[in-house]
Amino acid sequence: GENVEQHPSTLSVQEGDSAVIKCTYSDSASNYFPWYKQELGKGPQLIIDIRSNVGEKKDQRIAVTLNKTAKHFSLHITETQPEDSAVYFCAVMDTGRRALTFGSGTRLQVQP
Amino acid sequence: DTAVSQTPKYLVTQMGNDKSIKCEQNLGHDTMYWYKQDSKKFLKIMFSYNNKELIINETVPNRFSPKSPDKAHLNLHINSLELGDSAVYFCASSPRVAGATDTQYFGPGTRLTVL
């Protein structure tokens, strides 16, 4: 099955700085890579996703890059704000199991 | 309007009891899921149903039994609860069949505590 590794586990940045979270995966057949944000006491919410036919996708302050050859993808948040503080999860669609495999999560703290 | 709802939000019970968690989605999606999030925040798929048919059944103890009366509902029944079952359980749904590159929409979670 798919194996997803996520780094770092915690990340503290100053408001206005950028934050980068990285994930690697094992199955070269995987074709869908979403990122979820989980706030305290809530369920994960999709913030951006990318499919294997593109290398980069951007939505305002959030961007995701995908390197299929190296089997890694990254989340980039620019101009961070305190409300960006949350746990972020990468995920990969395991085409064999037909299920998302999640990374272990990154706790992002944005200091005002 | 809540897209994916779960009840109850909190569930505290004794070891050995049987309990159920209910989930409903009003998005018209075909597929529903149950995930378990442990104390270290690891999120892991347990089950998925596509239009009332079981698609994914991970290596979950058979004390856990999902039931889907219709495609808008997926309930989770747990027999003989154990301490290790303490976790947050999330229901989710997605538009098409499991494995499609669709957004999954998560419910607010049910925090189960087994004493």
Side-chain angles (χ1 to χ4, degrees):
Chain A
E2 183 68 84
N3 183 38
V4 180
E5 293 193 3
Q6 182 172 344
H7 300 281
S9 56
T10 60
L11 181 58
S12 183
V13 299
Q14 289 294 124
E15 184 176 357
D17 287 350
S18 295
V20 180
I21 304 170
K22 298 181 179 180
C23 285
T24 60
Y25 60 98
S26 58
D27 186 355
S28 55
S30 296
N31 60 0
Y32 178 59
F33 309 90
W35 285 91
Y36 283 83
K37 176 183 180 182
Q38 186 177 20
E39 295 175 325
L40 196 62
K42 296 185 178 179
Q45 271 201 306
L46 181 82
I47 54 171
I48 196 166
D49 58 12
I50 191 166
R51 289 166 177 81
S52 57
N53 56 344
V54 296
E56 184 172 357
K57 184 176 177 181
K58 192 172 179 181
D59 182 3
Q60 298 183 346
R61 297 185 297 109
I62 295 172
V64 56
T65 57
L66 171 65
N67 184 327
K68 284 222 74 182
T69 304
K71 290 187 280 188
H72 68 71
F73 58 112
S74 300
L75 177 71
H76 305 255
I77 306 175
T78 57
E79 301 170 31
T80 52
Q81 299 165 4
E83 51 266 38
D84 294 330
S85 297
V87 179
Y88 290 81
F89 292 94
C90 65
V92 178
M93 177 56 72
D94 182 332
T95 51
R97 288 165 58 237
R98 294 185 292 172
L100 287 177
T101 299
F102 282 82
S104 52
T106 297
R107 184 174 298 277
L108 173 65
Q109 183 73 38
V110 180
Q111 307 286 350
Chain B
D1 286 339
T2 304
V4 182
S5 59
Q6 294 178 230
T7 54
K9 187 162 175 63
Y10 300 97
L11 187 51
V12 181
T13 188
Q14 299 287 333
M15 259 195 322
N17 284 350
D18 302 340
K19 289 292 178 187
S20 291
I21 306 171
K22 295 187 176 183
C23 178
E24 176 181 2
Q25 55 96 3
N26 62 5
L27 297 166
H29 289 172
D30 280 348
T31 302
M32 296 184 72
Y33 310 81
W34 278 109
Y35 286 86
K36 180 180 180 180
Q37 187 172 47
D38 64 20
S39 57
K40 294 186 177 179
K41 294 285 190 182
F42 288 115
L43 256 174
K44 194 170 178 186
I45 183 84
M46 299 173 70
F47 302 102
S48 80
Y49 268 75
N50 178 250
N51 205 5
K52 300 195 295 175
E53 179 187 352
L54 180 65
I55 301 297
I56 295 169
N57 183 352
E58 292 291 291
T59 39
V60 175
N62 57 14
R63 298 181 295 103
F64 290 78
S65 54
K67 284 188 172 47
S68 181
D70 56 61
K71 77 171 194 177
H73 295 85
L74 181 61
N75 303 323
L76 184 64
H77 189 76
I78 315 170
N79 288 332
S80 305
L81 278 155
E82 300 177 358
L83 293 177
D85 297 333
S86 296
V88 181
Y89 292 85
F90 288 100
C91 177
S93 73
S94 63
R96 296 178 294 168
V97 66
T101 58
D102 290 341
T103 300
Q104 291 188 17
Y105 295 82
F106 283 77
T110 295
R111 181 175 293 277
L112 171 65
T113 302
V114 182
L115 304 174

